[in-house]
């Protein structure tokens, strides 16, 4: 066992080379599984997972890949292409390690056209060049029609191509004699049973051979897939027949396991903290099958008698991760293995990005709309949309084009004797204000220049779309349907501001229209939030005025700002609310 690097630190020009070399690493973890997953705990059985996924490439194939590439480097240094028939783990490890060791960028994967899209994308992610082959997904190594021989032929056609050929290269299984077996025996000298699956059979051949040589009474369990079934990596017993490695001498017992048990066991291990893929679940299930057979035929005590403690110590390999097989888990396991998704109706809904910066305060919205920094102008009630207010013209707001609004003259018979400042308020060029509220809410009052864009799914009493999934679904789908080519053409190049009751629906609208390239914004808190902002602003003004009245400079008392009339924030929210 290596103890020269107990802190697991890799420095200098050879940092990655040493990081990928098991001889320079502490041993991989050996973890006893919880009792909940060990049905034989009461029989004195301890089961340990050897975490091969803690290798730098996160799969067991990294060891043989390194060993085969190291050996070839001593024989030839003019290699610039690596090619291998592999379903994923081996060739991915080869591509990374050959790049680290020798700077080789051209690694080519030959594999079955039945490989999942997720694995194909994973290999492309690691920079592999992929060639697909029809026929059996696990061809016999010597079959001239299969991809294994095609890779071998490619090597023979050029002296600059290396085909490691994991199916025939003895450095495959010798890597486990070199590293895996010694680590396990150092970590658990009392080991009684070792179990792993067999694909190329390299892992079992190397580890099983080493363990038997150093502990003759150990039981070695090799696991094969059930006939006609498939688990990523291992083969059926029939497909192992033509494998050239001396795996038969490294196995004492062969068990068969199906894919459903493999995937479910992997899922259970992962949920208990031993995160692993289907081949790892396959290995554990094979070990459990073996132990159950021993118990059924009454020979469990033979294993127990091997140790003075009367306990049985078993090791299986965790050799892969689950992530690239997630879709298969939902095919191979039962629905009751998974909790249902709440608010499932939101799948495929509300898919676009949000950004806090698209929600603007009242002052920032006002600046965008009217070029003013004094807050939203008074909302325009229906009484003010007339043509005979003491002879002062008003513009009826039928659209969002720039319009001049004369609010009220200094006195107004329609609104009593309260003084109002005469003000001009115009939407800035290229700005559109869309009011999503109902037509009746809009008619009672709305900001100057607003166009009513009512949503049938939005009422004043509607819940927030972010607290009710049905509301969000309805509003999002309606907003999506409104993004017609005609609407988007009208809004092209414009700054669009959405307002609503509480700001949440407008936020959804902003997300939907932003996804279509529209420069959209929303008023944070909606029109209902204006009252709160008004109260805050009023308090701030009162504090400012109080401070100004008590301050003096050169014998003059300063006077603080007064609440604005007509355009001021002090009137915006309160006027709107009073008109509801």
């Amino acid at each position: 066992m290596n103890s020269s690097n107990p802190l697991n630190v890799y420095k200098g020009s050879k940092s990655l080379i040493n990081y990928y070399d098991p001889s320079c690493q502490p041993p991989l973890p050996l973890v006893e599984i919880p009792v909940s997953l060990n049905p034989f705990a009461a029989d004195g059985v301890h089961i340990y997972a050897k975490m091969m996924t803690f290798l730098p490439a996160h799969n067991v194939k990294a060891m043989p890949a390194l060993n085969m590439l190291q050996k070839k480097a001593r024989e030839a240094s003019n290699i610039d292409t690596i090619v291998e028939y592999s379903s994923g783990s081996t060739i991915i490890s080869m591509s990374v390690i050959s790049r680290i060791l020798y700077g080789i960028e051209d690694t080519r994967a030959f594999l079955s056209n039945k490989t999942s899209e997720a694995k194909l994308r994973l290999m492309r992610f690691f920079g592999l060049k992929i060639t697909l082959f029809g026929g059996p997904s696990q061809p016999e190594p010597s079959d001239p029609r299969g991809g294994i021989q095609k890779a071998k032929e490619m090597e023979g056609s050029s002296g600059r191509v290396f085909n490691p050929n994991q199916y025939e290269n003895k450095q495959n299984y010798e890597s486990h004699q070199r590293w895996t077996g010694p680590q396990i025996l150092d970590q658990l000298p009392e080991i009684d049973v070792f179990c792993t699956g067999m694909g190329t059979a390299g892992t079992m051949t190397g580890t099983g051979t080493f363990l038997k040589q150093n502990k003759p009474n150990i039981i070695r369990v090799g696991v094969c897939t059930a006939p006609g079934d498939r688990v990523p990596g291992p083969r059926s017993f029939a497909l192992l027949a033509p494998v050239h490695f001396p795996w038969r001498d490294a196995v004492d017992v062969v068990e068969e396991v199906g894919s459903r048990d493999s995937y479910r066991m992997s899922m259970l291990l992962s949920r208990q903290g031993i995160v692993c893929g289907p081949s790892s679940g396959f290995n554990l299930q094979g070990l459990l099958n073996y132990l159950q057979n021993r118990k059924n035929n009454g020979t469990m005590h033979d294993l127990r008698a091997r140790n003075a403690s009367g306990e049985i110590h078993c090791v299986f390999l965790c050799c892969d991760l689950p992530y690239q097989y997630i879709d298969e888990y939902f095919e191979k396991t039962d629905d009751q293995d998974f909790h249902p998704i709440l608010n499932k109706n939101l799948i495929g809904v509300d898919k676009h990005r949000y950004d806090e910066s698209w929600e603007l305060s009242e002052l920032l919205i006002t600046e965008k709309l009217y070029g003013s920094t004094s807050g939203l102008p008074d909302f325009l009630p229906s009484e003010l949309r007339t043509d005979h207010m003491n002879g002062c013209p008003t513009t009826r707001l039928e659209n969002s084009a720039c319009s001049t609004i004369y609010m009220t003259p200094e006195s107004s018979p329609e609104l009593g004797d309260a003084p109002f400042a005469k003000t001009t308020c115009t939407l800035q060029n290229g700005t559109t204000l869309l009011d999503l509220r109902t037509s009746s809410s809009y008619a009672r009052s709305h900001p100057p220049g607003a166009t009513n864009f009512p949503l049938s799914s939005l009422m004043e009493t509607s819940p927030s779309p972010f607290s009710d999934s049905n509301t969000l679904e309805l509003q999002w789908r309606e907003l999506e349907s409104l993004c017609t080519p005609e609407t988007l053409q009208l809004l092209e190049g414009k700054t669009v501001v959405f307002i609503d009751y509480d700001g949440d629906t407008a936020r959804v609208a902003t997300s939907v229209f932003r996804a279509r390239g529209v420069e959209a914004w929303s008023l944070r808190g909606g029109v209902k939030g204006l009252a709160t902002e008004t109260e805050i602003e009023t308090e701030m003004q009162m504090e400012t005025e109080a401070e100004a009245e008590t301050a003096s400079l050169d014998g003059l008392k300063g006077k603080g700002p007064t609440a604005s009339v007509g355009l001021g924030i002090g009137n915006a929210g309160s006027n709107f609310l009073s008109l509801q």
Side-chain angles (χ1 to χ4, degrees):
M1 182 186 302
N2 175 64
S3 59
S4 61
N5 187 19
L7 296 181
N8 215 12
V9 177
Y10 307 88
K11 297 180 179 180
S13 61
K14 293 187 176 182
S15 60
L16 284 172
I17 293 175
N18 292 334
Y19 174 52
Y20 270 79
D21 187 349
S23 301
C24 301
Q25 300 171 349
L28 301 173
L30 188 69
V31 184
E32 184 169 4
I33 69 171
V35 172
S36 61
L37 295 179
N38 179 3
F40 305 101
D43 299 300
V45 175
H46 299 268
I47 300 174
Y48 303 83
K50 178 63 173 174
M51 304 301 295
M52 307 302 289
T53 53
F54 276 64
L55 286 164
H58 304 296
N59 67 74
V60 69
K61 299 296 187 178
M63 281 183 173
L66 176 64
N67 207 43
M68 287 186 284
L69 290 169
Q70 284 180 333
K71 176 66 175 178
K72 185 64 177 179
R74 290 194 291 269
E75 297 175 355
S77 58
N78 61 340
I79 302 301
D80 53 25
T81 299
I82 306 292
V83 60
E84 182 74 359
Y85 188 90
S86 167
S87 60
S89 296
T90 300
I91 193 62
I92 287 173
S93 297
M94 285 179 178
S95 73
V96 173
I97 293 170
S98 62
R99 191 176 291 116
I100 290 170
L101 293 180
Y102 314 118
I104 297 174
E105 294 289 342
D106 185 8
T107 304
R108 306 184 185 189
F110 286 7
L111 66 158
S112 169
N113 64 336
K114 300 166 184 61
T115 304
S116 69
E117 181 65 26
K119 294 189 78 171
L120 292 175
R121 288 182 174 179
L122 182 65
M123 285 185 277
R124 295 176 70 192
F125 171 84
F126 280 99
L128 288 157
K129 298 177 182 179
I130 296 173
T131 301
L132 299 179
F133 288 86
S137 59
Q138 293 177 314
E140 293 186 7
S142 58
D143 187 343
R145 299 165 296 178
I148 295 174
Q149 286 301 308
K150 297 296 183 184
K152 194 172 181 180
E153 290 170 11
M154 184 175 176
E155 178 187 47
S157 67
S158 171
R160 304 189 67 83
V161 176
F162 175 41
N163 169 222
N165 194 351
Q166 61 174 324
Y167 302 92
E168 299 178 358
N169 191 331
K170 67 178 184 177
Q171 275 81 47
N172 179 339
Y173 67 82
E174 286 179 351
S175 66
H176 296 288
Q177 287 179 279
R178 181 180 178 187
W179 291 307
T180 308
Q183 281 193 17
I184 292 173
L185 196 59
D186 283 344
Q187 291 172 308
L188 193 70
E190 62 272 33
I191 183 173
D192 299 296
V193 181
F194 171 72
C195 181
T196 193
M198 296 186 292
T200 66
T203 305
M204 175 53 82
T205 300
T207 309
T209 297
F210 176 87
L211 291 175
K212 197 72 168 183
Q213 288 171 346
N214 290 273
K215 191 165 186 179
N217 64 349
I218 194 169
I219 301 296
R220 302 161 300 175
V221 181
V223 191
C224 298
T225 56
D229 205 347
R230 184 174 181 275
V231 177
R235 292 173 169 242
S236 67
F237 187 79
L239 288 176
L240 279 170
V243 173
H244 297 298
F245 295 157
W247 59 270
R248 294 171 182 81
D249 297 330
V251 175
D252 300 303
V253 179
V254 174
E255 294 287 346
E256 290 183 343
V257 171
S259 58
R260 293 183 66 83
D261 287 337
S262 302
Y263 278 87
R264 190 168 191 278
M265 184 58 70
S266 159
M267 180 183 68
L268 295 176
L269 281 166
S270 296
R271 289 179 178 180
Q272 292 297 323
I274 300 177
V275 181
C276 60
S279 295
S280 305
F282 175 83
N283 294 343
L284 176 56
Q285 188 62 55
L287 174 61
L288 296 180
N289 289 353
Y290 168 73
L291 292 172
Q292 187 62 56
N293 290 336
R294 295 293 296 245
K295 189 168 184 176
N296 291 345
N297 61 30
T299 60
M300 186 76 82
H301 65 277
D302 294 339
L303 288 176
R304 194 178 298 109
R306 296 171 181 234
N307 290 309
S309 64
E311 297 178 329
I312 303 168
H313 298 275
C314 310
V315 174
F316 73 98
L317 295 192
C318 270
C319 49
D320 62 346
L321 292 170
Y323 308 114
Q324 61 183 311
Y325 307 105
I326 288 300
D327 289 344
E328 285 92 330
Y329 281 92
F330 288 85
E331 298 170 4
K332 297 290 186 179
T333 54
D334 298 323
D335 287 343
Q336 56 264 33
D337 288 325
F338 305 95
H339 294 295
I341 298 175
L342 303 182
N343 296 339
K344 193 173 182 178
N345 60 308
L346 294 185
I347 293 177
V349 169
D350 194 29
K351 299 183 293 184
H352 310 307
R353 176 184 167 221
Y354 287 85
D355 195 309
E356 295 294 326
S357 66
W358 301 340
E359 289 185 283
L360 300 183
S361 66
E362 178 187 355
L363 293 179
L364 292 176
I365 284 286
T366 306
E367 187 173 359
K368 280 195 177 295
L369 289 173
Y370 309 108
S372 168
T373 58
S374 58
L376 276 173
D378 290 337
F379 277 25
L380 189 67
S382 57
E383 294 92 329
L384 296 183
R385 289 186 281 109
T386 65
D387 298 323
H388 57 277
M389 294 169 60
N390 283 1
C392 294
T394 63
T395 300
R396 184 176 294 276
L397 299 176
E398 303 294 346
N399 55 54
S400 59
C402 296
S403 305
T404 299
I405 306 301
Y406 291 87
M407 298 303 287
T408 64
E410 294 184 0
S411 62
S412 171
E414 286 86 355
L415 294 179
D417 297 327
F420 285 83
K422 180 178 177 181
T423 311
T424 298
C425 176
T426 305
L427 282 176
Q428 296 194 95
N429 246 334
T431 301
T432 299
L433 175 57
L434 299 180
D435 189 333
L436 302 176
R437 298 174 301 149
T438 63
S439 298
S440 58
S441 294
Y442 173 85
R444 286 197 297 271
S445 64
H446 57 264
T451 296
N452 196 201
F453 200 59
L455 299 181
S456 62
S457 55
L458 175 63
M459 301 294 167
E460 187 170 359
T461 57
S462 295
S464 164
F466 302 121
S467 64
D468 183 81
S469 66
N470 292 326
T471 299
L472 177 55
E473 181 184 9
L474 288 172
Q475 292 184 359
W476 188 84
R477 293 193 186 281
E478 183 176 1
L479 286 163
E480 283 282 310
S481 70
L482 293 173
C483 289
T484 62
E486 294 77 15
T487 300
L488 295 175
Q489 185 176 6
L490 288 172
L491 298 178
E492 185 177 359
K494 295 182 181 295
T495 297
V496 179
V497 175
F498 291 102
I499 62 168
D500 64 353
Y501 295 105
D502 60 8
D504 288 348
T505 300
R507 190 183 187 206
V508 178
T510 298
S511 171
V512 169
F513 278 81
R514 281 269 181 175
R516 302 303 198 289
V518 176
E519 185 197 336
W521 309 86
S522 65
L523 173 62
R524 183 181 294 118
V527 295
K528 292 180 181 178
L530 295 176
T532 302
E533 294 197 27
T534 298
E535 294 169 4
I536 296 173
E537 179 70 13
T538 301
E539 291 179 4
M540 292 175 63
Q541 290 173 346
M542 292 175 62
E543 291 175 2
T544 302
E545 291 171 1
E547 291 174 0
E549 289 174 0
T550 58
S552 61
L553 179 63
D554 296 331
L556 297 176
K557 290 188 176 180
K559 187 175 182 181
T562 59
S564 55
V565 179
L567 281 179
I569 187 173
N571 291 324
S574 56
N575 281 356
F576 170 74
L577 293 174
S578 66
L579 290 165
Q580 299 301 299

